[in-house]
Amino acid sequence: MLISILSWLLALSFLLAVLGIACLVLATLWIAAKAQRLVPPVGKFVEIDGSRIHYVDVGEGRPIVFIHGLGAQLHHFRHTLFGQFAPGYRLIALDRPGSGYSTRANGATGRLPEQAALVRRFIEKLRLERPLVVGHSLGGAVTLTLAVEHPEVIAGIALLAPLTHLEPGMREKTGLLNIPSRLWRRVMAYTVAIPLSLRYARPTMEFIFAPQAFPVDYMVDGGGWLGLRPVHFQATSADVVAIEQDLGRIEQRYGEIAMPAGILFGTADRVIDIRIHGEPMRGKIKGLDFEPVDGLGHMPQFVEPKRVIGFIERVAGRAFPSPQPHDNFNEPTG
């Protein structure tokens, strides 16, 4: 009798567990479908080494390529900056592989040299002539890797609140995103990760934007909903795991960077500390344009777009050669 009761309880527990997992999977798929409905693709696609890259490309003139940070997407620049630049620039923002609507090639790891090499191939595919590259947060680390390993394809770098150094406790700081196992990462992505991310979306965004307010239009116009999809979670987790494999080596080579470079960093950034990732860069890149902004947090492009554009255009003024007079130009005569 006791064995029968135990068997029944075990069967019931198993059934409830299966139902619970099924509910989580269905909730995940529903949230992902809603995200794609609210924030559909807005740009073009290009195939690069097995990855399908989604990007926006507007304007004409000197090219500027924008690389977003961890868990973000191209709307971090398209929504905040693109409509406010002066004429004379071609502005291109891409979703990094696995983020937004870009897919990551089978076997890709998300390591910094891999992502930098893909950006190089992207630049070559679009036939951009030595663009200025703007990188935010983790995108700053990708941009620095590009400047170190592929300096010949770019004219300069402009970094916004960049990740520049390995620091103690980085694994603990990234929390549940640090999942080394691909299988476990996938399991988490399709069960608990997305419902939990939705549940804590507001406090998470409030922390990231602090001390400034979380913009009311961020989830749709800023693309925030796109982070609430399993593929995006898997790519973000892979990026977190990959950081420590290369960043320590890359940071030893910052002194090799000879191109025009600038860093804009908020002194109140709670995500990436200016004392660890900003101030030490002053002595590592010759001629660095370093702009600390008192009281600013981690998302300057949302909070201070005009300041950010002024900073980017200032670096661009050093990166791009001045227009030369036409060879056949003649002074008017009276």
Side-chain angles (χ1 to χ4, degrees), residues 13 63 136 162 165 167 199 256 263 323:
S13 298
H136 173 240
H165 291 75
E167 59 177 291
R199 169 67 178 81
E256 300 174 21
I263 293 178

Side-chain angles (χ1 to χ4, degrees), residues 154-172:
I154 61 176
I157 58 175
L159 310 177
L160 309 174
L163 176 74
T164 63
H165 291 75
L166 281 178
E167 59 177 291
M170 185 171 283
R171 289 189 183 185
E172 292 74 16

